[in-house]
């Protein structure tokens, strides 16, 4: 039997612990908590003015728009990679997903640093690259191992 079939028969994706949930949703939580906090500290007029100025800057400046779009994809891509890992059963025997450590924009898309837990290897990501690309709404995905850390891989999402 193939490795994916064995994993499908043996295990399911385990629910994340509370710290993992906080880490995965940190940007959304900051926005959800930070927005009302800003409104409570500053007046509505200041918050609306600053938000309007930022929206105007993004709509007028191509440079600011590129930065905003790149940051948007850096927030969305880790969620999509976790979904792809769950669907492809890139999990440990206990059902744990790999840890998405960091995402940063690159010229062609995003680079994602992923910590592979015991039982998950870079070859699993290479084998499932088309599925990951499809889940991330990307043209392709390239996977490279970190030269200094054997358990960390770099996934380049190319848009």
């Amino acid at each position: 039997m193939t490795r994916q079939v064995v994993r499908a028969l043996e295990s399911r994706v385990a629910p994340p612990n509370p710290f993992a949930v906080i880490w995965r949703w940190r940007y959304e939580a900051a926005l959800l908590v930070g927005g009302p906090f800003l409104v409570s500290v500053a007046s509505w007029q200041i918050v609306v003015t600053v938000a309007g100025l930022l929206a105007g800057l993004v709509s007028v400046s191509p440079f600011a728009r590129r930065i905003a779009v790149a940051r948007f994809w850096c927030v969305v891509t880790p969620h999509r990679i976790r979904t792809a890992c769950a669907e492809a059963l890139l999990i440990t025997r206990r059902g744990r997903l790999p840890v998405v450590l960091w995402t940063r924009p690159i010229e062609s898309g995003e680079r994602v640093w992923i910590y592979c837990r015991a039982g998950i290897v870079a070859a699993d990501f290479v084998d499932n690259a088309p599925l990951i690309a499809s889940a991330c709404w990307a043209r392709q995905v390239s996977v490279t191992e970190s030269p200094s850390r054997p358990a960390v891989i770099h996934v380049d999402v190319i848009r």
Side-chain angles (χ1 to χ4, degrees):
M1 282 196 267
T2 66
R3 188 174 183 175
Q4 282 80 14
V5 173
V6 171
R7 284 186 178 170
L9 294 174
E10 290 178 348
S11 62
R12 299 278 184 247
V13 177
N17 65 42
F19 297 114
V21 172
I22 291 170
W23 177 256
R24 291 176 183 177
W25 293 94
R26 63 192 179 276
Y27 299 116
E28 294 86 349
L31 187 62
L32 188 65
V33 173
F37 177 75
L38 280 176
V39 171
S40 68
V41 172
S43 68
W44 273 99
Q45 292 84 7
I46 294 173
V47 173
V48 170
T49 303
V50 170
L53 288 173
L54 286 174
L57 179 66
V58 167
S59 66
V60 171
S61 170
F63 178 71
R65 189 170 28 254
R66 276 193 300 272
I67 291 173
V69 169
R71 290 310 309 161
F72 169 79
W73 282 116
C74 285
V75 172
V76 171
T77 299
H79 294 298
R80 301 305 307 162
I81 286 181
R82 279 189 291 274
T83 300
C85 289
E87 290 298 323
L89 291 174
L90 293 174
I91 56 176
T92 65
R93 288 189 182 258
R94 292 186 178 195
R96 298 287 181 198
L97 291 168
V99 179
V100 178
L101 298 172
W102 191 252
T103 306
R104 75 171 178 92
I106 57 175
E107 286 184 25
S108 59
E110 302 85 42
R111 172 165 285 175
V112 183
W113 281 263
I114 298 176
Y115 172 74
C116 295
R117 299 174 193 249
I120 303 170
V121 294
D124 294 336
F125 282 86
V126 171
D127 294 342
N128 291 295
L131 186 138
I132 296 169
S134 173
C136 292
W137 306 307
R139 283 185 298 161
Q140 73 180 58
V141 169
S142 67
V143 179
T144 56
E145 295 181 21
S146 172
S148 58
R149 296 174 191 89
V152 176
I153 61 171
H154 303 149
V155 176
D156 290 337
V157 179
I158 301 165
R159 301 204 177 277

